[in-house]
Amino acid sequence: MQNTTISAHCAVDIRAVRKAYGVGESAFVALDEATVSVRQNEFFTLLGPSGCGKTTLLRMIAGFDYPTSGEILLNGADITSLPPFKRPVNTVFQNYALFPHMTVAENVAFGLEALGKSRAEVKARVAEMLRLVQLEHLAGRRTSQMSGGQQQRVALARALAPQPKVLLLDEPLSALDYKLRKEMQSELKRLQYETGITFIFVTHDQEEALTMSDRVAVMSAGRILQIGTPREIYNRPADRFVASFIGETNFLTGMLQDHANGKAKVALKSGRSIVVNVAPGTPASGEVTFIVRPEHARLVDGPGDVRASVDKVVYFGTDTHIHLRLDSGEAFMVRQQNGSIAGCSVEAGQAVAVAITDGAAQVVKA
Amino acid sequence: MTSVNDLTTEIEAADARRRWLLASPALLTIFVAAIGPLFIVLAYSFLAPGDYGDVKWQFSLDAWMSVFFERDIFDDTLSLATAHIDIFWRSVKLALITTALTLFFGFPTAYFMATRSERSRDLWQFLITIPFWTNLLIRTLAILQIIRNEGILNTVLIKLGVINEPIQILFTDTAILIGMVYVYLPLMVLPIYASLERLDFRLVEAGYDLYATRWRVLRKIILPLAKPGVIAGSILVFIPAIGAFVSPSVLGGGKNMMFSNLIELQFGQGRNWPLGSALSITVMIIVMAALLIYVRNNASKDERHA
Amino acid sequence: MRKGFSVRYQPGFTAIAVACFALLYLPVITLVVYAFNSAPSVAAWGGLSLHWFQVALTNSDVIDASIRSFQIATVAACLATVFATMAALATTRTRRYRGLGFIYAFINQPLMVPEIVTAVALLIIVAQVKAFAGYSGLGYLIVAHTAFCIPFAYLPIRARLENMDLCLERAAADLYAKPFYTFRRVTLPLLWPGILGAFMLAFVLSLDDVVITEFVKSGGQDTLPTYMLGQIRRGITPEMNAISTAFLLLSIVIVTLFFIVSRKRT
């Protein structure tokens, strides 16, 4: 019963997958009981700093590594022990791994030929793929003579050609410069939409994760900390790590008072109270830590919610970051959009008042 | 929920099995034609010589005794086999001098090659490979043609009036030495070149920046970094040198024997296969001692060299 | 114009190096020159002539020995290259499995033993086997040559394999290629120059071998080097110069081919 429900929704089902090197106390645990379900046609991202286990997990889905315990299912079928060439899953590698002794067309054709498809079918599909990534004019070129962006697209075409059930992308954009990366991000979104294939994308760049994904899994030290849409992850981070890894954050503490329907009143050290969001399961009273995103606070005339003095003002082109030191001692940052050219009017050392948008703050696990 | 721990070890074990299978033809061939026979030699050294060569299958320590000692025919006392000792000493001496000389000439040569421009480096590599891949016998013959009494060197010197009679170089230790240095020089150059090619000259620049003289830079920066190549080259020269056969045979005549000639004698006229075997094992022991020194010097080094 | 400070210059090194190169080639060049000397001794110069080459070419012993050398070298080099390739595949780009160090040491063992010792050992074994099985053909020489050629073929192939991006084979497996298919379409094409180079090295080493062949051969089974050794011991003839020249030419051709093959697709 449970299996049919799962296979209807999930392209890839990872169940309590654990990878440990060595045994006992001194074992290095790369993945600690990771459990996640990726849905069909989803653009799913594994996000985390280096060493968090995201690449290890990806490799296990691809078949280049095997878990110490746990299972991996693809559309309901157990593929945990299958070698990579038996899994209908393809990978775009970080360094592209294009075959240097083959042309672009031969690279793209490789998977289809390995599957034994007919020459006509291979030819047609290769042409279709090259059209999809807009590289038809380079079909006969050797891959070593191409730019990074072009090699990327060849790697994509090659991985998509055999129509895999899932496409895995291992930090494919990390070698590209800023502008190219932005272009490729929208390329990838477009490709995923047009082909309808489930994409599992690995990156350490949280901006990339937020802009491209349907859902994100934030990982750290082998554990999955939170799975949710970009909005959920950003506005409702589950814990301190997620909150500080994604975007800029301010951490404040206060005493929790009333608590109903996911909202609560918190008394700040300044004496004022604000309304914050709480996750279900938070205790009804006591001291809590909550986050305030810099764009959810503003400098005001009048008393505001907290008082602070300005440490420094940093200009960013589109925004200005105002670094403050609250009267209660914590560091705090306010982000203002530079709507007018005149710019920000505060200076270092000035005393200011800060107001926090009601309902914007989120309580997190300390 | 099956534990996949067994799966990982199972896959790794299957992989290891497959690799052993792949390596087996090479291992088998080498065992049959290189390593296995060594054990036979060891066994033979403890047997008695047969009447027409080969052995009599009875245990005897005579062979090993004869390596170092000889028995006086008349009063049956043991004394050091001076003839043998001379030969051992000549072999070790010549091998060491050859190693030293090839190092002395080979290091600058390798350094020169490594400091050429990218393009011409190929050319120099080409030039050093040709002698390396030319038959050892031909190269020894070339030396022979030069140093023998009717050879080129003497002929030219006499014609120029520098000397009246030919200098007897052939059939001396010096001749063998010249031959061995000539033949083994490329063997010393190549590993040192490999080491020096990988040298990051920015380290040398750093040395000069910090007030070092050329000599200091050479001693404290270049030489230590080239050490793996130097040691590899020394091993590659010493081992063949101590067992050298062609050079002493052709350039030394029958008189200035080295290990290999003595061993050959036992399997030919000498008809003492056990003694020949014991002598071979002695050479092996000397070589293994040299290798042990190398291993100790390079305890943590990678196995990539030569 | 004053030359700037050269980081790479070391006093005397260039002089020694150039001298070494010159001295390496001088004896051999002299040999070649005298091969064309119509006079029978190096003491006199009789003018250019191909006489000694003719003598060598009509000497049936020389022809026999040459043919035998090539036969042995071809078979031994082929076998050694194939075995060495397999062994290299088995010992590279893998985590340390039990016995890896052993295999590596075992394969390199012939490099660590002076030829005379191996030659003697083989002499003994071959004598026994001959008495036992009665076979007296080229097989012993072929096996012996294969054995000492394997480490020389193994090392360059292994080096090339280690430099190959493991990612490529992984990509192939990701794209549904079974292990042998991956080997055929990805590993082998990229390894091929290394294999060719290894073959040439093994071929030359077998062709050049003196000591092991001298001890293992049966009567009448001379290879070109052992024939020459026998002749030299008896007394040098100018014919030797001619044969040497031909041999040298062959070496140059092979080295040139080797460099062309290795430089391609580095």
Side-chain angles (χ1 to χ4, degrees):
Chain A
M1 189 61 68
Q2 213 171 6
N3 274 342
T4 46
T5 321
I6 289 173
S7 63
H9 291 297
C10 292
V12 176
D13 201 6
I14 295 166
R15 295 193 185 157
V17 162
R18 185 185 152 82
K19 181 73 183 177
Y21 297 98
V23 272
E25 283 298 310
S26 60
F28 172 67
V29 181
L31 280 176
D32 193 1
E33 310 289 319
T35 300
V36 57
S37 296
V38 179
R39 301 189 191 124
Q40 301 281 6
N41 305 348
E42 193 177 24
F43 195 117
F44 192 89
T45 300
L46 296 172
L47 172 67
S50 328
C52 69
K54 56 193 193 294
T55 304
T56 311
L57 187 53
L58 197 77
R59 282 160 50 96
M60 289 206 222
I61 305 175
F64 303 129
D65 210 347
Y66 298 96
T68 314
S69 65
E71 295 172 323
I72 300 178
L73 291 103
L74 182 68
N75 287 338
D78 188 339
I79 59 167
T80 322
S81 51
L82 287 184
F85 49 88
K86 290 220 184 97
R87 304 187 189 201
V89 168
N90 291 137
T91 310
V92 176
F93 295 84
Q94 191 169 5
N95 64 353
Y96 317 132
L98 296 178
F99 303 125
H101 57 297
M102 299 186 195
T103 62
V104 166
E106 285 167 352
N107 263 280
V108 176
F110 188 87
L112 298 162
E113 286 172 354
L115 285 170
K117 303 271 181 231
S118 72
R119 186 111 39 107
E121 196 182 337
V122 173
K123 202 159 165 227
R125 186 103 184 108
V126 168
E128 189 188 330
M129 284 290 107
L130 289 178
R131 224 176 306 131
L132 188 65
V133 295
Q134 294 153 1
L135 283 179
E136 311 106 298
H137 56 294
L138 290 177
R141 189 80 70 87
R142 294 261 151 179
T143 54
S144 49
Q145 302 163 329
M146 295 167 61
S147 70
Q150 290 170 332
Q151 287 186 350
Q152 241 264 349
R153 282 187 270 160
V154 176
L156 268 168
R158 184 179 73 174
L160 286 170
Q163 286 169 307
K165 298 275 186 342
V166 178
L167 185 69
L168 307 174
L169 300 106
D170 186 5
E171 304 206 49
L173 309 182
S174 56
L176 305 176
D177 63 54
Y178 182 77
K179 196 145 176 289
L180 200 52
R181 207 179 319 152
K182 289 274 164 246
E183 275 174 30
M184 283 310 300
Q185 281 170 9
S186 47
E187 261 303 287
L188 283 175
K189 266 313 258 187
R190 174 183 77 86
L191 278 171
Q192 197 268 326
Y193 182 72
E194 278 184 33
T195 58
I197 296 178
T198 311
F199 274 31
I200 302 183
F201 187 83
V202 161
T203 182
H204 59 269
D205 183 337
Q206 41 105 2
E207 199 189 302
E208 215 163 66
L210 291 180
T211 52
M212 297 174 75
S213 327
D214 292 327
R215 286 195 306 153
V216 177
V218 181
M219 296 179 69
S220 169
R223 319 181 85 244
I224 298 186
L225 298 175
Q226 185 174 3
I227 304 178
T229 64
R231 219 175 260 275
E232 283 166 15
I233 303 268
Y234 187 76
N235 286 323
R236 308 270 174 267
D239 69 10
R240 220 191 152 89
F241 178 86
V242 179
S244 45
F245 188 74
I246 314 272
E248 308 267 9
T249 315
N250 296 305
F251 290 96
L252 289 178
T253 52
M255 292 300 283
L256 192 63
Q257 293 161 339
D258 322 311
H259 169 357
N261 291 341
K263 297 239 189 285
K265 238 185 158 150
V266 168
L268 301 172
K269 295 204 190 92
S270 64
R272 320 263 309 177
S273 341
I274 56 168
V275 176
V276 303
N277 295 305
V278 284
T282 316
S285 61
E287 198 181 27
V288 284
T289 308
F290 59 94
I291 63 151
V292 180
R293 296 285 182 192
E295 64 272 17
H296 294 152
R298 58 193 185 285
L299 297 182
V300 291
D301 306 315
D305 292 313
V306 282
R307 301 200 60 82
S309 69
V310 179
D311 253 353
K312 63 177 181 204
V313 179
V314 186
Y315 175 72
F316 268 100
T318 48
D319 308 330
T320 302
H321 291 188
I322 306 172
H323 294 261
L324 307 165
R325 176 69 52 184
L326 300 182
D327 285 352
S328 41
E330 298 100 321
F332 198 91
M333 201 238 296
V334 171
R335 201 213 266 141
Q336 273 182 351
Q337 262 200 313
N338 292 338
S340 76
I341 300 181
C344 177
S345 53
V346 288
E347 291 172 348
Q350 197 173 331
V352 291
V354 180
I356 299 173
T357 313
D358 252 3
Q362 165 84 16
V363 172
V364 291
K365 280 197 286 257
Chain B
M1 292 315 145
T2 42
S3 154
V4 194
N5 204 358
D6 312 298
L7 179 64
T8 318
T9 27
E10 207 187 280
I11 291 179
E12 287 177 351
D15 183 63
R17 268 197 303 268
R18 229 176 295 133
R19 286 173 181 268
W20 267 93
L21 206 65
L22 263 184
S24 54
L27 294 175
L28 202 62
T29 312
I30 292 185
F31 181 75
V32 165
I35 298 186
L38 290 181
F39 293 109
I40 312 263
V41 173
L42 186 61
Y44 263 47
S45 67
F46 290 103
L47 298 175
D51 297 318
Y52 300 104
D54 213 344
V55 289
K56 281 204 224 59
W57 285 89
Q58 52 185 108
F59 182 81
S60 156
L61 282 175
D62 272 351
W64 280 102
M65 296 293 287
S66 316
V67 169
F68 299 103
F69 303 106
E70 52 192 10
R71 213 171 269 278
D72 190 284
I73 325 177
F74 297 112
D75 54 19
D76 214 29
T77 52
L78 276 182
S79 57
L80 269 186
T82 44
H84 285 189
I85 304 289
D86 278 345
I87 294 176
F88 299 165
W89 175 234
R90 179 180 297 114
S91 303
V92 174
K93 184 179 62 158
L94 288 180
L96 285 173
I97 300 180
T98 306
T99 310
L101 285 177
T102 50
L103 184 57
F104 181 77
F105 289 112
F107 190 90
T109 311
Y111 186 86
F112 173 79
M113 284 168 65
T115 51
R116 295 308 95 197
S117 69
E118 283 280 338
R119 278 222 208 118
S120 57
R121 227 178 278 180
D122 272 356
L123 172 67
W124 293 106
Q125 256 188 296
F126 180 74
L127 286 179
I128 202 112
T129 310
I130 293 185
F132 183 41
W133 285 24
T134 304
N135 195 334
L136 156 68
L137 199 53
I138 293 179
R139 289 187 276 157
T140 312
L141 178 65
I143 295 286
L144 177 65
Q145 293 282 41
I146 292 188
I147 63 176
R148 55 193 261 260
N149 286 356
E150 308 86 29
I152 299 169
L153 184 64
N154 277 315
T155 314
V156 164
L157 285 178
I158 289 183
K159 280 234 173 83
L160 288 180
V162 178
I163 50 174
N164 288 322
E165 278 184 3
I167 315 175
Q168 179 67 37
I169 312 179
L170 196 58
F171 305 139
T172 62
D173 278 4
T174 315
I176 302 179
L177 192 60
I178 296 177
M180 291 213 290
V181 171
Y182 182 67
V183 157
Y184 293 127
L185 185 61
L187 266 183
M188 175 64 85
V189 170
L190 285 170
I192 299 183
Y193 170 71
S195 251
L196 284 175
E197 207 196 359
R198 273 182 266 170
L199 179 66
D200 187 352
F201 271 89
R202 287 179 296 187
L203 296 168
V204 177
E205 283 175 5
Y208 286 124
D209 183 66
L210 292 162
Y211 316 109
T213 60
R214 287 199 193 278
W215 173 237
R216 181 171 271 266
V217 162
L218 177 65
R219 208 162 40 98
K220 293 247 163 191
I221 302 181
I222 299 180
L223 276 175
L225 287 173
K227 191 160 134 183
V230 167
I231 297 193
S234 306
I235 299 272
L236 276 187
V237 168
F238 182 77
I239 295 185
I242 204 160
F245 178 76
V246 172
S247 301
S249 301
V250 171
L251 299 171
K255 303 167 195 147
N256 304 58
M257 292 210 277
M258 286 175 70
F259 263 121
S260 54
N261 308 103
L262 185 60
I263 294 176
E264 189 195 16
L265 189 63
Q266 309 311 324
F267 286 93
Q269 292 176 306
R271 300 228 194 106
N272 194 340
W273 287 29
L275 178 57
S277 307
L279 288 166
S280 304
I281 302 286
T282 312
V283 174
M284 271 304 297
I285 293 177
I286 298 183
V287 163
M288 290 211 274
L291 280 176
L292 224 66
I293 300 177
Y294 164 64
V295 164
R296 245 176 349 134
N297 260 326
N298 267 36
S300 54
K301 273 279 169 200
D302 215 0
E303 287 178 298
R304 266 187 262 166
H305 64 269
Chain C
M1 190 161 78
R2 193 164 157 271
K3 238 186 10 181
F5 181 83
S6 163
V7 169
R8 295 171 182 233
Y9 171 74
Q10 286 288 341
F13 274 25
T14 308
I16 295 183
V18 172
C20 279
F21 273 101
L23 288 175
L24 269 179
Y25 276 86
L26 216 59
V28 175
I29 292 178
T30 331
L31 201 66
V32 171
V33 165
Y34 276 99
F36 292 96
N37 181 8
S38 59
S41 108
V42 292
W45 178 256
L48 282 175
S49 132
L50 287 174
H51 175 61
W52 303 113
F53 288 95
Q54 267 179 317
V55 172
L57 279 174
T58 48
N59 186 337
S60 59
D61 287 335
V62 172
I63 305 288
D64 273 348
S66 306
I67 294 181
R68 205 169 288 115
S69 278
F70 272 89
Q71 285 174 327
I72 297 174
T74 313
V75 178
C78 280
L79 286 177
T81 310
V82 170
F83 291 173
T85 309
M86 290 166 74
L89 287 168
T91 53
T92 52
R93 304 183 298 171
T94 172
R95 53 163 242 305
R96 249 196 130 66
Y97 56 88
R98 199 140 38 110
L100 175 62
F102 172 77
I103 296 182
Y104 186 77
F106 205 85
I107 291 186
N108 283 323
Q109 183 271 357
L111 293 171
M112 301 287 128
V113 179
E115 266 200 297
I116 183 75
V117 177
T118 314
V120 154
L122 284 171
L123 171 81
I124 296 178
I125 289 228
V126 167
Q128 295 293 7
V129 175
K130 240 191 256 182
F132 194 67
Y135 169 73
S136 202
L138 287 181
Y140 302 115
L141 282 172
I142 293 179
V143 173
H145 280 223
T146 307
F148 75 72
C149 284
I150 286 179
F152 290 99
Y154 172 78
L155 288 170
I157 295 182
R158 182 200 151 97
R160 203 175 174 100
L161 211 49
E162 295 261 300
N163 280 332
M164 246 167 67
D165 193 355
L166 188 57
C167 239
L168 293 175
E169 272 117 333
R170 241 188 244 148
D174 182 69
L175 291 161
Y176 314 108
K178 300 210 185 65
F180 188 68
Y181 189 85
T182 304
F183 178 73
R184 187 166 64 88
R185 291 210 60 195
V186 179
T187 320
L188 198 56
L190 290 170
L191 198 54
W192 188 244
I195 295 183
L196 271 185
F199 175 82
M200 287 189 225
L201 181 58
F203 187 81
V204 166
L205 284 169
S206 167
L207 217 54
D208 281 354
D209 182 68
V210 180
V211 184
I212 292 188
T213 315
E214 175 74 15
F215 280 70
V216 173
K217 73 178 166 78
S218 321
Q221 266 186 356
D222 273 319
T223 59
L224 198 51
T226 59
Y227 171 78
M228 287 176 69
L229 181 66
Q231 290 298 100
I232 293 177
R233 279 167 144 177
R234 257 172 266 158
I236 319 164
T237 64
E239 202 185 331
M240 296 283 109
N241 299 346
I243 302 178
S244 304
T245 307
F247 222 113
L248 181 65
L249 196 63
L250 182 63
S251 294
I252 295 183
V253 167
I254 298 186
V255 174
T256 313
L257 280 176
F258 176 77
F259 268 78
I260 294 179
V261 164
S262 311
R263 290 302 173 265
K264 236 192 344 173
R265 278 207 225 119
T266 330

